[in-house]
Amino acid sequence: MDESRYREAIGRLVEPGERVLAQAKADVGGGLTPPPPPGPTPTAGPGRRTVGSVLLNVLLPLATWERGDRLVDLIGWGIAGRGTPGSAASRLHGAMNPPRPDLQVRETLLAVTDRRLLVCRTGGVKLLAGRDAEERALAETEVAWAVPRAEVASARVGWHRLNPKRLRLTFADGSWLAFTVPIAESGAPLRAVAAALAA
């Protein structure tokens, strides 16, 4: 999908008079993330697995339960965020990962307006669903989490292991969460988000 279609989807979600300054399609970085916010324990859904984490689980027989999975994430990817349960990073990560009974793909869109940081999620599509399904999913985009710009203490793009395209959002409470784009994609949208938050 091209950036103009993302811009249109986000434009439908802002308040009257609110201007979108920058947007980027991104995913939470791989690695350890902040614990979930306090509340009812969600029903465990299918976890996101990578070939690397599966291979490390095979090579490290102790890494077959939740703590082991977190060890594999730490070894393979490092740390993708920090914060106490209920911190801004914890709430953001929790909002992006609600329990879902289906195996549909959803895109994450970051948007900076003159008032807020928005984290949006597109509707779900099945793998290889086709262009019509993608268009429908884009039309179903909704705000998953939003915070006033003043709550974002800093935003910077820098190197992390082999990926130079990693946006780290640090919040006023000291918690932080990282977002990345695939190595093959441009990091310019992430840099635009960081610049808009710094302005």
Side-chain angles (χ1 to χ4, degrees), residues 7 10-11 14 18-23 110-114 118:
R7 193 166 27 251
I10 292 166
V14 297
E18 188 174 19
R19 289 184 309 114
V20 177
L21 305 176
Q23 78 277 326
L110 304 176
V112 180
T113 74
D114 51 353
L118 306 174

Side-chain angles (χ1 to χ4, degrees), residues 85 114 126 154:
D114 51 353
K126 293 184 178 169
S154 69

Side-chain angles (χ1 to χ4, degrees), residues 21 112-113 149 152-156 167 169 190-199:
L21 305 176
V112 180
T113 74
R149 287 178 54 141
V152 181
S154 69
R156 63 181 174 84
L167 170 68
L169 297 175
L190 289 183
R191 288 191 293 275
V193 165
L197 284 166

Side-chain angles (χ1 to χ4, degrees), residues 55-112:
L55 180 60
L56 280 172
N57 267 321
V58 170
L59 296 176
L60 298 172
L62 297 177
T64 56
W65 65 96
E66 183 180 345
R67 287 185 188 160
D69 288 345
R70 291 182 65 79
L71 175 64
V72 167
D73 283 345
L74 179 61
I75 293 169
W77 303 105
I79 298 172
R82 291 227 192 234
T84 58
S87 64
S90 165
R91 288 181 281 118
L92 169 53
H93 191 256
M96 292 179 55
N97 295 289
R100 295 192 188 277
D102 57 14
L103 294 175
Q104 296 189 333
V105 177
R106 288 172 170 76
E107 303 278 350
T108 300
L109 308 175
L110 304 176
V112 180

